[in-house]
Amino acid sequence: MITTKSERELDLMRVAGMITFEAQELLKNAIKPGVSTLHLDKLAHEFILSKGATPAFLGYNGFSGSICASVNEVLVHGIPSSDVILKEGDIISIDIGAIYKGYVGDHAWTYPVGVISEEAQNLLKVTEESLYAALEQAVAGNRVGDIGAAVMDVVLPHGYHLPVEYTGHGVGSEMHEAPYVPNVGIKGKGALLRKGMTIAIEPMVQIGTPKTETLEDDWTVVSLDRSLTAHFEHTVLVKENGFEILTRTKETSKH
């Protein structure tokens, strides 16, 4: 069932969103060659707890990390590990969820590790641009197909690919709520966006193929050809004449 949120619920989601944003900022400044993804996980875990929240991912369907840390060809759900050491030229997608008083903030971003290739730079630029194009469609009266179409309009002209099996989603008192918010869509089609809905919009882009593979750990999703991937996500509130990014600080969340 698709729900809209009360002002009380939205206030809690703003706090949850701000915590996830601040956790991202902490990790952004900690990413460098020689750092393990487990170290980043511990930083995020301790920060989220210090803010009176709990990590949304830890224990979710058995997931062992407080963040998803996905390096290079890993699209999503990378498990933090002391064995995964970042090196110059890598890119890493960090997905963070925090639960504050029963409500979830969900936020992902892809970062360079040191100096990265021009190919990787362009992938990050295009994927981030597709996120902001999609956010512009998060307006009451539009449909989820408008969001997917906006992502496609930015990504596909570059020859990049959008895996269809991973999508955005509603978010609130549960991390995954209705509706699905696909990154491939037809304008005017799909679930209607209503004022007060909160959704996670998250373009996931691969350079070489739309196909993915899940590794033997049953979590780690990689591009089938092991080409580079990127993932950007914000939790947003659908408004009458615009949107509000909930996974930002108070100073930068209004649109």
Side-chain angles (χ1 to χ4, degrees), residues 5 19 23 70 75 94 96 122 130 147 157 160 173-174 179 199-200 202 205 209 227 237 240 242:
K5 306 301 190 292
I19 292 168
S70 304
L75 180 67
I94 302 289
I96 301 177
N122 195 60
S130 76
I147 293 173
Y160 296 155
S173 59
E174 301 289 338
I199 56 177
E202 48 180 322
V205 179
T209 176
S227 59
L237 166 65
E240 196 69 50

Side-chain angles (χ1 to χ4, degrees), residues 27-36 40 86-88 112-114:
L27 297 197
K28 174 184 176 181
N29 293 322
I31 290 169
K32 60 184 178 181
V35 169
S36 75
L40 298 175
L86 299 179
K87 63 184 186 299
E88 185 85 12
V113 181

Side-chain angles (χ1 to χ4, degrees), residues 2 139 141-147 178-182 186 188-194 197 199:
I2 299 174
V139 179
N142 280 358
R143 294 184 178 270
V144 295
D146 296 303
I147 293 173
Y180 290 115
V181 184
I186 299 171
K189 301 291 185 181
L192 180 68
L193 300 178
R194 292 180 291 151
M197 287 173 60
I199 56 177

Side-chain angles (χ1 to χ4, degrees), residues 3 5 8-9 13 99-105 170-177 198:
T3 62
K5 306 301 190 292
R8 181 192 70 83
E9 291 175 305
M13 290 191 68
I99 303 171
Y100 180 77
K101 295 186 178 179
Y103 286 84
V104 178
V171 61
S173 59
E174 301 289 338
M175 187 158 59
H176 294 105
E177 299 182 350
T198 47

Side-chain angles (χ1 to χ4, degrees), residues 203-225:
M204 290 163 267
V205 179
Q206 299 187 158
I207 284 183
T209 176
K211 295 182 180 180
T212 63
E213 176 185 0
T214 303
L215 301 186
E216 290 183 358
D217 59 23
D218 291 330
W219 280 107
T220 307
V221 177
V222 300
S223 56
L224 190 61
D225 63 356

Side-chain angles (χ1 to χ4, degrees), residues 35-50:
V35 169
S36 75
T37 58
L38 184 62
H39 174 69
L40 298 175
D41 183 78
K42 289 178 177 177
L43 288 177
H45 180 90
E46 292 169 2
F47 178 82
I48 291 168
L49 292 181
S50 77

Side-chain angles (χ1 to χ4, degrees), residues 20 131 150 159:
T20 60
L131 170 62

Side-chain angles (χ1 to χ4, degrees), residues 14 78 94 196 231:
R14 288 183 180 101
I94 302 289
H231 178 202

